[in-house]
Short mmCIF file of all heavy atoms in Angstrom, two decimals:
data_model
loop_
_atom_site.label_atom_id
_atom_site.label_comp_id
_atom_site.label_asym_id
_atom_site.label_seq_id
_atom_site.Cartn_x
_atom_site.Cartn_y
_atom_site.Cartn_z
N LEU K 1 -50.90 -75.93 -43.74
CA LEU K 1 -51.22 -75.44 -42.40
C LEU K 1 -50.86 -73.97 -42.25
O LEU K 1 -51.62 -73.19 -41.65
CB LEU K 1 -50.48 -76.28 -41.36
CG LEU K 1 -50.72 -75.91 -39.89
CD1 LEU K 1 -52.19 -76.12 -39.53
CD2 LEU K 1 -49.82 -76.73 -38.97
N THR K 2 -49.72 -73.58 -42.79
CA THR K 2 -49.28 -72.19 -42.70
C THR K 2 -50.27 -71.25 -43.38
O THR K 2 -50.66 -70.21 -42.82
CB THR K 2 -47.89 -72.02 -43.32
OG1 THR K 2 -46.95 -72.83 -42.61
CG2 THR K 2 -47.44 -70.56 -43.28
N TYR K 3 -50.69 -71.62 -44.60
CA TYR K 3 -51.66 -70.78 -45.31
C TYR K 3 -53.01 -70.76 -44.60
O TYR K 3 -53.68 -69.72 -44.55
CB TYR K 3 -51.82 -71.27 -46.75
CG TYR K 3 -50.68 -70.89 -47.65
CD1 TYR K 3 -49.72 -71.82 -48.04
CD2 TYR K 3 -50.55 -69.58 -48.12
CE1 TYR K 3 -48.66 -71.46 -48.85
CE2 TYR K 3 -49.51 -69.21 -48.94
CZ TYR K 3 -48.56 -70.16 -49.31
OH TYR K 3 -47.51 -69.79 -50.12
N PHE K 4 -53.39 -71.88 -44.03
CA PHE K 4 -54.67 -71.95 -43.31
C PHE K 4 -54.64 -71.06 -42.08
O PHE K 4 -55.58 -70.31 -41.82
CB PHE K 4 -54.97 -73.40 -42.91
CG PHE K 4 -56.14 -73.54 -41.98
CD1 PHE K 4 -57.44 -73.39 -42.44
CD2 PHE K 4 -55.93 -73.80 -40.63
CE1 PHE K 4 -58.52 -73.51 -41.57
CE2 PHE K 4 -57.00 -73.92 -39.75
CZ PHE K 4 -58.30 -73.77 -40.23
N LEU K 5 -53.53 -71.14 -41.31
CA LEU K 5 -53.44 -70.35 -40.09
C LEU K 5 -53.42 -68.86 -40.38
O LEU K 5 -53.87 -68.06 -39.57
CB LEU K 5 -52.17 -70.76 -39.31
CG LEU K 5 -52.20 -72.13 -38.65
CD1 LEU K 5 -50.87 -72.43 -37.99
CD2 LEU K 5 -53.33 -72.23 -37.63
N THR K 6 -52.87 -68.48 -41.55
CA THR K 6 -52.84 -67.07 -41.93
C THR K 6 -54.24 -66.48 -41.90
O THR K 6 -54.45 -65.35 -41.43
CB THR K 6 -52.23 -66.90 -43.33
OG1 THR K 6 -50.92 -67.47 -43.34
CG2 THR K 6 -52.14 -65.44 -43.71
N PHE K 7 -55.20 -67.23 -42.42
CA PHE K 7 -56.58 -66.74 -42.45
C PHE K 7 -57.32 -67.03 -41.14
O PHE K 7 -58.11 -66.20 -40.68
CB PHE K 7 -57.33 -67.40 -43.62
CG PHE K 7 -56.76 -67.06 -44.96
CD1 PHE K 7 -55.92 -67.93 -45.61
CD2 PHE K 7 -57.07 -65.85 -45.57
CE1 PHE K 7 -55.38 -67.62 -46.85
CE2 PHE K 7 -56.54 -65.52 -46.81
CZ PHE K 7 -55.69 -66.41 -47.46
N TYR K 8 -57.05 -68.17 -40.54
CA TYR K 8 -57.80 -68.58 -39.36
C TYR K 8 -57.50 -67.69 -38.14
O TYR K 8 -58.42 -67.22 -37.47
CB TYR K 8 -57.48 -70.04 -39.02
CG TYR K 8 -58.09 -70.50 -37.72
CD1 TYR K 8 -59.46 -70.76 -37.63
CD2 TYR K 8 -57.30 -70.67 -36.58
CE1 TYR K 8 -60.02 -71.17 -36.42
CE2 TYR K 8 -57.86 -71.09 -35.37
CZ TYR K 8 -59.22 -71.33 -35.31
OH TYR K 8 -59.78 -71.73 -34.13
N ILE K 9 -56.22 -67.46 -37.88
CA ILE K 9 -55.85 -66.70 -36.68
C ILE K 9 -56.39 -65.28 -36.74
O ILE K 9 -56.71 -64.68 -35.72
CB ILE K 9 -54.31 -66.70 -36.50
CG1 ILE K 9 -53.85 -68.11 -36.12
CG2 ILE K 9 -53.88 -65.71 -35.44
CD1 ILE K 9 -52.37 -68.25 -35.90
N GLY K 10 -56.52 -64.75 -37.94
CA GLY K 10 -57.05 -63.40 -38.07
C GLY K 10 -58.48 -63.26 -37.58
O GLY K 10 -58.94 -62.15 -37.30
N HIS K 11 -59.19 -64.37 -37.44
CA HIS K 11 -60.57 -64.34 -36.99
C HIS K 11 -60.71 -64.82 -35.55
O HIS K 11 -61.81 -65.08 -35.08
CB HIS K 11 -61.45 -65.22 -37.89
CG HIS K 11 -61.49 -64.76 -39.31
ND1 HIS K 11 -62.23 -63.66 -39.72
CD2 HIS K 11 -60.86 -65.21 -40.43
CE1 HIS K 11 -62.07 -63.48 -41.02
NE2 HIS K 11 -61.25 -64.40 -41.47
N THR K 12 -59.60 -64.92 -34.85
CA THR K 12 -59.61 -65.32 -33.44
C THR K 12 -59.19 -64.14 -32.57
O THR K 12 -58.82 -63.07 -33.07
CB THR K 12 -58.66 -66.50 -33.19
OG1 THR K 12 -57.30 -66.06 -33.36
CG2 THR K 12 -58.93 -67.64 -34.16
N ALA K 13 -59.21 -64.36 -31.27
CA ALA K 13 -58.82 -63.31 -30.32
C ALA K 13 -57.34 -63.00 -30.39
O ALA K 13 -56.89 -62.00 -29.83
CB ALA K 13 -59.20 -63.73 -28.90
N LEU K 14 -56.55 -63.85 -31.07
CA LEU K 14 -55.11 -63.62 -31.19
C LEU K 14 -54.75 -62.76 -32.39
O LEU K 14 -53.62 -62.29 -32.50
CB LEU K 14 -54.37 -64.96 -31.32
CG LEU K 14 -54.51 -65.95 -30.16
CD1 LEU K 14 -53.78 -67.25 -30.50
CD2 LEU K 14 -53.96 -65.36 -28.88
N GLY K 15 -55.71 -62.55 -33.27
CA GLY K 15 -55.43 -61.85 -34.51
C GLY K 15 -54.85 -60.46 -34.33
O GLY K 15 -55.45 -59.61 -33.68
N GLY K 16 -53.69 -60.24 -34.92
CA GLY K 16 -53.06 -58.93 -34.88
C GLY K 16 -52.26 -58.63 -33.64
O GLY K 16 -51.58 -57.60 -33.56
N GLY K 17 -52.30 -59.52 -32.64
CA GLY K 17 -51.57 -59.29 -31.40
C GLY K 17 -50.15 -59.82 -31.45
O GLY K 17 -49.71 -60.38 -32.46
N SER K 18 -49.46 -59.68 -30.35
CA SER K 18 -48.06 -60.09 -30.29
C SER K 18 -47.90 -61.61 -30.41
O SER K 18 -46.85 -62.10 -30.81
CB SER K 18 -47.42 -59.62 -28.99
OG SER K 18 -48.13 -60.15 -27.86
N LYS K 19 -48.96 -62.37 -30.08
CA LYS K 19 -48.91 -63.82 -30.18
C LYS K 19 -49.35 -64.34 -31.54
O LYS K 19 -49.33 -65.54 -31.78
CB LYS K 19 -49.77 -64.45 -29.08
CG LYS K 19 -49.25 -64.17 -27.68
CD LYS K 19 -50.10 -64.87 -26.63
CE LYS K 19 -49.56 -64.60 -25.23
NZ LYS K 19 -50.38 -65.27 -24.18
N ASP K 20 -49.74 -63.43 -32.40
CA ASP K 20 -50.09 -63.80 -33.78
C ASP K 20 -48.79 -64.00 -34.55
O ASP K 20 -48.02 -63.05 -34.73
CB ASP K 20 -50.92 -62.68 -34.41
CG ASP K 20 -51.40 -63.03 -35.81
OD1 ASP K 20 -50.90 -64.01 -36.39
OD2 ASP K 20 -52.27 -62.30 -36.32
N PRO K 21 -48.50 -65.23 -35.03
CA PRO K 21 -47.23 -65.46 -35.73
C PRO K 21 -47.10 -64.67 -37.03
O PRO K 21 -46.00 -64.56 -37.57
CB PRO K 21 -47.24 -66.97 -35.99
CG PRO K 21 -48.67 -67.37 -35.93
CD PRO K 21 -49.31 -66.45 -34.93
N PHE K 22 -48.21 -64.11 -37.51
CA PHE K 22 -48.18 -63.35 -38.75
C PHE K 22 -48.32 -61.85 -38.51
O PHE K 22 -48.64 -61.09 -39.42
CB PHE K 22 -49.30 -63.84 -39.68
CG PHE K 22 -49.26 -65.32 -39.92
CD1 PHE K 22 -50.11 -66.17 -39.23
CD2 PHE K 22 -48.36 -65.87 -40.82
CE1 PHE K 22 -50.07 -67.54 -39.43
CE2 PHE K 22 -48.31 -67.23 -41.02
CZ PHE K 22 -49.16 -68.08 -40.34
N HIS K 23 -48.04 -61.45 -37.27
CA HIS K 23 -48.17 -60.05 -36.87
C HIS K 23 -47.34 -59.13 -37.78
O HIS K 23 -47.83 -58.07 -38.21
CB HIS K 23 -47.71 -59.89 -35.42
CG HIS K 23 -47.61 -58.47 -34.95
ND1 HIS K 23 -48.70 -57.76 -34.49
CD2 HIS K 23 -46.54 -57.63 -34.90
CE1 HIS K 23 -48.31 -56.54 -34.17
NE2 HIS K 23 -47.01 -56.43 -34.40
N ARG K 24 -46.12 -59.51 -38.08
CA ARG K 24 -45.22 -58.65 -38.85
C ARG K 24 -45.66 -58.50 -40.31
O ARG K 24 -45.18 -57.62 -41.01
CB ARG K 24 -43.81 -59.21 -38.82
CG ARG K 24 -43.17 -59.20 -37.44
CD ARG K 24 -41.76 -59.75 -37.49
NE ARG K 24 -40.91 -58.96 -38.36
CZ ARG K 24 -39.67 -59.31 -38.72
NH1 ARG K 24 -39.18 -60.46 -38.31
NH2 ARG K 24 -38.96 -58.54 -39.50
N LEU K 25 -46.57 -59.37 -40.76
CA LEU K 25 -46.97 -59.36 -42.17
C LEU K 25 -48.25 -58.57 -42.41
O LEU K 25 -48.60 -58.32 -43.57
CB LEU K 25 -47.18 -60.81 -42.66
CG LEU K 25 -46.02 -61.77 -42.47
CD1 LEU K 25 -46.40 -63.16 -42.97
CD2 LEU K 25 -44.78 -61.28 -43.19
N LYS K 26 -48.93 -58.17 -41.37
CA LYS K 26 -50.25 -57.59 -41.51
C LYS K 26 -50.24 -56.06 -41.43
O LYS K 26 -49.41 -55.47 -40.78
CB LYS K 26 -51.19 -58.14 -40.43
CG LYS K 26 -51.45 -59.64 -40.54
CD LYS K 26 -52.39 -60.12 -39.44
CE LYS K 26 -52.69 -61.60 -39.57
NZ LYS K 26 -53.60 -62.07 -38.49
N GLY K 27 -51.21 -55.46 -42.12
CA GLY K 27 -51.47 -54.03 -41.99
C GLY K 27 -50.69 -53.13 -42.92
O GLY K 27 -50.98 -51.93 -42.99
N TRP K 28 -49.74 -53.67 -43.64
CA TRP K 28 -48.87 -52.80 -44.44
C TRP K 28 -49.57 -52.25 -45.68
O TRP K 28 -49.35 -51.10 -46.07
CB TRP K 28 -47.60 -53.56 -44.83
CG TRP K 28 -46.81 -54.02 -43.65
CD1 TRP K 28 -46.59 -55.30 -43.25
CD2 TRP K 28 -46.15 -53.19 -42.68
NE1 TRP K 28 -45.84 -55.33 -42.10
CE2 TRP K 28 -45.55 -54.05 -41.73
CE3 TRP K 28 -46.02 -51.81 -42.51
CZ2 TRP K 28 -44.83 -53.57 -40.64
CZ3 TRP K 28 -45.29 -51.34 -41.43
CH2 TRP K 28 -44.71 -52.22 -40.51
N HIS K 29 -50.39 -53.06 -46.31
CA HIS K 29 -51.12 -52.59 -47.49
C HIS K 29 -52.03 -51.42 -47.10
O HIS K 29 -52.11 -50.40 -47.82
CB HIS K 29 -51.93 -53.74 -48.08
CG HIS K 29 -52.67 -53.38 -49.33
ND1 HIS K 29 -53.93 -52.80 -49.32
CD2 HIS K 29 -52.31 -53.48 -50.65
CE1 HIS K 29 -54.32 -52.58 -50.57
NE2 HIS K 29 -53.36 -52.98 -51.39
N GLU K 30 -52.72 -51.57 -45.97
CA GLU K 30 -53.62 -50.51 -45.50
C GLU K 30 -52.84 -49.26 -45.12
O GLU K 30 -53.28 -48.13 -45.39
CB GLU K 30 -54.43 -51.02 -44.31
CG GLU K 30 -55.44 -52.12 -44.64
CD GLU K 30 -54.80 -53.49 -44.78
OE1 GLU K 30 -53.57 -53.62 -44.53
OE2 GLU K 30 -55.51 -54.45 -45.14
N LEU K 31 -51.69 -49.44 -44.48
CA LEU K 31 -50.87 -48.28 -44.12
C LEU K 31 -50.40 -47.56 -45.38
O LEU K 31 -50.42 -46.32 -45.44
CB LEU K 31 -49.66 -48.73 -43.29
CG LEU K 31 -48.66 -47.62 -42.93
CD1 LEU K 31 -49.33 -46.57 -42.05
CD2 LEU K 31 -47.43 -48.20 -42.24
N GLY K 32 -49.98 -48.32 -46.38
CA GLY K 32 -49.55 -47.71 -47.63
C GLY K 32 -50.65 -46.90 -48.29
O GLY K 32 -50.40 -45.82 -48.83
N ALA K 33 -51.90 -47.40 -48.22
CA ALA K 33 -53.02 -46.68 -48.81
C ALA K 33 -53.29 -45.38 -48.05
O ALA K 33 -53.55 -44.33 -48.67
CB ALA K 33 -54.26 -47.57 -48.79
N GLU K 34 -53.22 -45.43 -46.72
CA GLU K 34 -53.44 -44.23 -45.91
C GLU K 34 -52.37 -43.17 -46.20
O GLU K 34 -52.68 -41.99 -46.38
CB GLU K 34 -53.42 -44.60 -44.43
CG GLU K 34 -54.62 -45.38 -43.95
CD GLU K 34 -55.82 -44.50 -43.67
OE1 GLU K 34 -55.71 -43.27 -43.84
OE2 GLU K 34 -56.88 -45.04 -43.31
N VAL K 35 -51.12 -43.61 -46.22
CA VAL K 35 -50.02 -42.67 -46.47
C VAL K 35 -50.12 -42.12 -47.89
O VAL K 35 -49.83 -40.94 -48.14
CB VAL K 35 -48.67 -43.35 -46.23
CG1 VAL K 35 -47.51 -42.44 -46.67
CG2 VAL K 35 -48.51 -43.72 -44.76
N SER K 36 -50.55 -42.93 -48.84
CA SER K 36 -50.71 -42.47 -50.22
C SER K 36 -51.72 -41.33 -50.30
O SER K 36 -51.49 -40.33 -51.00
CB SER K 36 -51.16 -43.63 -51.12
OG SER K 36 -50.18 -44.64 -51.19
N ASN K 37 -52.84 -41.48 -49.58
CA ASN K 37 -53.85 -40.42 -49.59
C ASN K 37 -53.33 -39.13 -48.97
O ASN K 37 -53.56 -38.03 -49.51
CB ASN K 37 -55.10 -40.90 -48.82
CG ASN K 37 -55.82 -42.02 -49.53
OD1 ASN K 37 -55.76 -42.14 -50.76
ND2 ASN K 37 -56.52 -42.86 -48.78
N ILE K 38 -52.64 -39.26 -47.85
CA ILE K 38 -52.09 -38.06 -47.20
C ILE K 38 -51.04 -37.41 -48.08
O ILE K 38 -51.00 -36.19 -48.24
CB ILE K 38 -51.48 -38.44 -45.83
CG1 ILE K 38 -52.56 -38.99 -44.91
CG2 ILE K 38 -50.80 -37.22 -45.20
CD1 ILE K 38 -52.02 -39.52 -43.59
N LEU K 39 -50.19 -38.23 -48.67
CA LEU K 39 -49.11 -37.72 -49.52
C LEU K 39 -49.68 -37.00 -50.74
O LEU K 39 -49.16 -35.96 -51.15
CB LEU K 39 -48.22 -38.88 -49.95
CG LEU K 39 -46.89 -38.54 -50.63
CD1 LEU K 39 -46.00 -37.75 -49.67
CD2 LEU K 39 -46.18 -39.81 -51.07
#
């Protein structure tokens, strides 16, 4: 269920918001790529 929700919630209106239980886990890879390019 945990692995399923990881993918499912991202495609709902809750994805990425404060009510998304996986909020703290998302976006870091993309941020690292952006900072790498700037650096």
Side-chain angles (χ1 to χ4, degrees):
L1 181 63
T2 299
Y3 284 105
F4 171 75
L5 289 177
T6 303
F7 297 99
Y8 173 74
I9 291 181
H11 298 284
T12 69
L14 299 177
S18 59
K19 295 183 179 180
D20 184 347
F22 306 100
H23 172 84
R24 295 181 61 189
L25 306 178
K26 296 180 178 180
W28 300 113
H29 183 273
E30 293 78 5
L31 176 63
E34 289 279 359
V35 173
S36 296
N37 292 333
I38 298 174
L39 191 62

